[in-house]
Structures are given as C-alpha cells and as structure tokens.
Amino acid sequence: MLSGVAALLFLLAVVDSLRHRRLTLAARIRLMAALIFAAVVLWLRRSGAG
C-alpha cells in the first residue's frame, strides 16, 4: 500500500516537471513525500513488519 502511494507521488512529480519543463515547488514536495514513503516502506520491510 505505502509503496503504491510512493510510486503515485513520484509519477505525479515527474508528470508535473515534464508539463512545466522545470522542477516546480509542487513537484519538489511530491518528490520529498515519495522519498519519505519509500524510506518507510524500506524500513518496514527490513524490520520484518511489512
């Protein structure tokens, strides 16, 4: 579930960047949120909870 959210946020950030031809504030926020979600997923999988 969390990895799907991270993938969706990353995809939205890439689409936003391509549409505006630069890294907008919204895209930066989405990328950071995707990175946080990905880190949580990795941590959960390593700890055996995921």
Side-chain angles (χ1 to χ4, degrees):
M1 173 72 179
L2 286 178
S3 57
V5 171
L8 179 64
L9 287 170
F10 180 76
L11 183 65
L12 287 172
V14 169
V15 168
D16 191 33
S17 296
L18 290 174
R19 188 180 327 147
H20 295 287
R21 302 209 189 267
R22 65 184 180 94
L23 195 60
T24 62
L25 178 61
R28 277 187 243 152
I29 291 170
R30 287 184 187 122
L31 283 173
M32 287 302 295
L35 214 101
I36 291 168
F37 272 98
V40 168
V41 167
L42 183 66
W43 177 70
L44 286 174
R45 287 192 180 163
R46 284 188 175 201
S47 68

